[in-house]
RNA sequence: GCUCCGGUGGUGUAGUCCGGUUAAGCAUUUCGCCCUCUCAAGGCGGAGAUCACGGGUUCAAAUCCCGUCCGGAGCACCA
């Protein structure tokens, strides 16, 4: 146990010095902070979840407290078992380690008891009005008959729980103030009847609490000291505290922060589902998506995501942070540990007349010898990128780690360079000479690089959101495991996704 | 429409509660130089904000007050 804790704390201390950190938590007592991350298992975890989970965890750790992962699964119509798993996997990858894992559905009976109690106390009532009536009444700020006449409240409560009402026939409403300026207080729903199979409880439960009721009860009972949520819930704070007040339950401190989303990379299922249904996107880990699995596939590392999230702070301002900032954090983490390889985009043959066949040894990393080296057999034929063929006869270029060549002939067709011929022109490194990467003709490995771009431009799907770059790299690539992140010299960082395919991470 | 919350350099933030300690710190972006057989990383330096706008209080305001404008959110038997 000690061995486990000690190294972690050491790492933490170092990180605090170099990385940005979160501001102190109001009212936090060392050793007694309890935070909670409460996702609904109704989809795959994305960058927005990551922000919340990381902040929750950072504060728990900062005060040597506890983090609870609580699946807020109070709507059997939406939850799915696979999402519970997906969320846990996502958090696992992120390195977020909850101290306690539970489901709100574990406590349904308890929550129901509190619901009954609230009705008995007169703080809530069973309402049989239609949604439409209530919608109108709320708009006008007027109470309905169910609220006015409470003589039947208790018998209705019994009917609700013994199955006498069908779905949509009755609900429990909080007795707020139908004329409150905060519309969330106009008698919101606390329980409703849902006929459906819940992934954890089956069809056992019919009367389900809403989030508005379950969240404060759970937070309070779980001992949460600091409850954090995104700012769209702000107006529900009054409700949250009113519920706890009437039930005489302890009140956590509530803190809001803005949602995290990137420009052109929407997080909402509303925007992503149609693309999947249309086949525009094949899976939830498509590199264009903001899901955690997509970030992983792209070559982003948890450490970078964490630093980035912390740098955002817990501000209330609604902004779309620059993706470049995330990339910068990621680059700094992966640069020191990524092998350098040559990748030639859109290859053009280079014939170095008279060059002798030989073996060259290339370092896998410019400064870290631990990453080793590789041997390549070269002859007089190479591939270079068409991007580097904007040349004239007589120009001198350097093939990195090899030698210099002087261009002797350029074959073009329709302005496009078909092949280049050159002759060796020395081996001394000159800073003024363009230095380009190359691949030996006998050493090629075909590779396509998937390059994700913004998914949406404004409200429109970006039809060029996934660019496919074709080229060749070294055969050395065949020995690397899927998932390895490499840097292609003068091209950028890429993660090997599958045989013959890599995904562009960033420059 | 009503209510609530935001508005600091291109971008994201610190500072705003408890007005003055650098008329604004950090990161990113961008430019230059150094380093370097990468257009990466690292080092150094530069550019870039009269703190949305208009009033007011004060010896003194990004920080307090009032108003205006702009942006976002909520007004579900979703979370």
């Amino acid at each position: 146990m000690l061995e486990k804790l000690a190294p972690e704390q050491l790492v933490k201390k170092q990180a605090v010095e170099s990385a940005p950190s979160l501001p102190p938590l109001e009212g936090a007592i060392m050793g007694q902070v309890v935070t909670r991350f409460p996702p609904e298992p109704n989809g795959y975890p994305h960058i927005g979840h990551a922000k919340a989970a990381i902040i929750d965890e950072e504060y728990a750790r900062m005060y040597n407290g506890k983090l609870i992962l609580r699946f807020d699964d109070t709507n059997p119509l939406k939850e799915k078992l696979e999402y519970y798993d997906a969320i846990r996997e996502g958090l696992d990858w992120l390195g977020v380690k909850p101290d306690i894992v539970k489901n709100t559905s574990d406590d349904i009976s308890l929550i129901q008891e509190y619901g009954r109690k609230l009705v008995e106390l007169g703080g809530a009532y069973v309402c049989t009005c239609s949604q439409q009536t209530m919608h109108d009444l709320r708009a006008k700020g007027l109470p309905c008959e169910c609220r006015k006449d409470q003589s039947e409240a208790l018998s209705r409560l019994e009917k609700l729980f013994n199955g006498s009402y069908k779905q949509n026939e009755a609900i429990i409403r909080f007795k707020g103030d139908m004329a409150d300026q905060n519309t969330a207080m106009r008698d919101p729903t606390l329980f409703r009847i849902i006929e459906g199979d819940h992934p954890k409880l089956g069809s056992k439960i019919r009367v389900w609490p809403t989030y508005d009721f379950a969240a404060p009860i759970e937070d309070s009972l779980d001992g949460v000291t600091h409850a954090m949520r995104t700012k769209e819930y702000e107006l529900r704070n009054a409700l949250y505290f009113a519920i706890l007040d009437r039930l005489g339950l302890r009140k956590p401190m509530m803190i809001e922060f803005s949602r995290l989303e990137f420009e052109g990379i929407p997080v909402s299922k509303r925007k992503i589902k149609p693309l999947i249904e249309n086949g525009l996107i094949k899976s939830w880990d498509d590199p264009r998506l903001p899901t955690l699995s997509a970030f992983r596939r792209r070559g982003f590392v948890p450490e970078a995501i964490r630093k980035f999230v912390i740098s955002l702070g817990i501000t209330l301002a609604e902004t779309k942070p620059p993706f470049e900032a995330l990339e910068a954090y990621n680059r700094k983490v992966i640069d020191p540990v990524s092998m350098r390889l040559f990748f030639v985009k859109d290859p053009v043959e280079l014939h170095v007349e008279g060059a002798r066949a030989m073996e060259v040894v290339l370092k896998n990393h410019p400064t870290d010898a631990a990453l080793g080296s590789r041997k390549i057999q070269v002859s007089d034929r190479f591939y270079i990128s068409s991007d580097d063929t904007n040349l004239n006869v007589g120009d001198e270029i350097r093939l990195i780690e090899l030698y210099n060549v002087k261009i002797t002939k350029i074959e073009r067709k329709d302005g496009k360079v078909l092949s280049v011929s050159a002759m060796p022109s020395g081996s001394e490194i000159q800073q003024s000479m363009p230095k380009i990467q190359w691949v030996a003709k006998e050493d090629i490995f075909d590779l396509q690089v998937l390059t994700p771009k913004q998914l949406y431009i404004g409200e429109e799907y970006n039809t060029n959101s996934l660019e496919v770059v074709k080229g060749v790299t070294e055969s050395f690539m065949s020995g690397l495991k899927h998932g390895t992140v490499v840097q292609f010299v003068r091209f950028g960082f890429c993660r090997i996704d599958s045989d013959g395919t890599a995904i562009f991470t960033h420059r």
Side-chain angles (χ1 to χ4, degrees), chain A residues 48-229:
Chain A
H49 290 105
K51 176 176 180 181
I54 286 169
I55 289 176
D56 286 325
E57 191 193 39
E58 283 292 322
Y59 276 128
R61 302 291 165 253
M62 185 183 292
Y63 292 97
N64 210 251
K66 282 191 171 20
L67 168 68
I68 300 170
L69 164 60
R70 185 181 76 226
F71 287 101
D72 243 328
D73 52 353
T74 56
N75 187 341
L77 267 21
K78 292 193 170 184
E79 339 300 20
K80 277 191 187 171
L81 229 36
E82 66 170 304
Y83 298 140
Y84 290 78
D85 294 339
I87 290 168
R88 293 210 61 168
E89 279 169 30
L91 293 180
D92 220 46
W93 174 70
L94 269 182
V96 171
K97 298 185 189 72
D99 298 288
I100 297 166
V101 180
K102 63 173 292 189
N103 308 308
T104 299
S105 62
D106 297 342
D107 299 328
I108 287 299
S109 306
L110 188 58
I111 296 169
Q112 285 182 342
E113 275 175 42
Y114 277 102
R116 286 173 184 262
K117 189 175 164 194
L118 192 57
V119 174
E120 286 159 12
L121 254 30
Y125 59 98
V126 178
C127 178
T128 56
C129 299
S130 73
Q131 283 186 57
Q132 186 55 48
T133 337
M134 281 312 286
H135 179 82
D136 297 342
L137 255 21
R138 298 181 98 203
K140 291 176 192 152
L142 268 22
C144 69
E145 290 307 314
C146 309
R147 176 184 172 130
K148 288 189 227 160
D149 174 20
Q150 297 233 40
S151 56
E152 291 179 70
L154 265 16
S155 66
R156 281 183 164 198
L157 186 62
E158 268 329 294
K159 284 174 73 180
L160 182 72
F161 281 98
N162 71 19
S164 302
Y165 289 119
K166 293 195 180 61
Q167 193 164 310
N168 295 322
E169 284 185 352
I171 60 171
I172 295 180
R173 282 186 186 286
F174 182 75
K175 194 180 286 178
D177 176 355
M178 288 302 281
D180 199 310
Q181 291 202 315
N182 178 354
T183 47
M185 292 302 284
R186 323 248 257 229
D187 292 18
T189 303
L190 265 25
F191 285 87
R192 75 288 209 209
I193 299 168
I194 297 177
E195 313 272 10
D197 271 359
H198 183 97
K200 297 283 183 188
L201 300 179
S203 53
K204 200 163 69 185
I205 301 293
R206 298 175 71 245
V207 183
W208 287 91
T210 58
Y211 164 86
D212 280 332
F213 190 69
I217 304 291
E218 286 286 281
D219 286 349
S220 186
L221 266 30
D222 286 343
V224 172
T225 58
H226 299 260
M228 292 169 253
R229 42 167 35 166

Side-chain angles (χ1 to χ4, degrees), chain A residues 376-507:
Chain A
I376 298 174
Q377 302 295 332
V378 302
S379 64
D380 59 345
R381 302 210 178 244
F382 302 87
Y383 285 112
I384 60 174
S385 171
S386 67
D387 288 352
D388 293 323
T389 58
N390 187 17
L391 299 162
N392 293 307
V393 169
D395 283 352
E396 257 190 300
I397 56 175
R398 178 171 181 83
L399 302 180
I400 296 177
E401 299 276 6
L402 199 56
Y403 46 58
N404 307 332
V405 299
K406 182 176 262 181
I407 309 302
T408 54
K409 195 168 74 177
I410 301 172
E411 265 188 68
R412 294 176 212 264
K413 189 183 174 191
D414 304 330
K416 195 180 181 315
V417 176
L418 295 179
S419 69
V420 177
S421 296
M423 53 184 274
S425 65
S427 58
E428 65 290 353
I429 299 162
Q430 289 170 31
Q431 56 167 85
S432 59
M433 209 180 280
K435 285 174 277 204
I436 67 168
Q437 77 279 17
W438 47 270
V439 173
K441 193 178 180 185
E442 295 75 20
D443 188 46
I444 63 167
F445 182 89
D446 286 305
L447 184 75
Q448 63 167 357
V449 178
L450 270 28
T451 309
K453 303 281 171 62
Q454 281 194 10
L455 231 205
Y456 273 86
I457 294 187
E459 288 299 302
E460 296 293 311
Y461 167 71
N462 176 9
T463 51
N464 298 315
S465 53
L466 191 64
E467 189 189 335
V468 180
V469 175
K470 289 187 195 294
V472 295
T473 183
E474 310 165 35
S475 65
F476 184 76
M477 172 65 83
S478 63
L480 296 177
K481 276 193 272 202
H482 297 168
T484 306
V485 174
V486 301
Q487 188 205 44
F488 289 127
V489 172
R490 299 206 312 136
F491 182 80
F493 292 91
C494 294
R495 180 177 182 275
I496 303 167
D497 188 59
S498 57
D499 290 333
T501 302
I503 295 176
F504 188 71
T505 308
H506 47 62
R507 289 187 50 214

Side-chain angles (χ1 to χ4, degrees), chain A residues 6-27:
Chain A
E8 271 188 20
Q9 287 187 336
L10 280 176
V11 170
K12 263 270 155 57
K13 267 181 191 164
Q14 287 175 350
V16 166
E17 283 170 12
S18 61
S21 61
L22 259 12
L25 251 193
E26 197 185 327

Side-chain angles (χ1 to χ4, degrees), chain A residues 331-347:
Chain A
R331 193 177 293 120
K332 282 165 192 164
V333 177
I334 66 177
D335 183 277
V337 296
S338 300
M339 284 188 184
R340 269 47 175 182
L341 292 178
F342 291 159
F343 169 73
V344 165
K345 170 189 173 187
D346 193 11

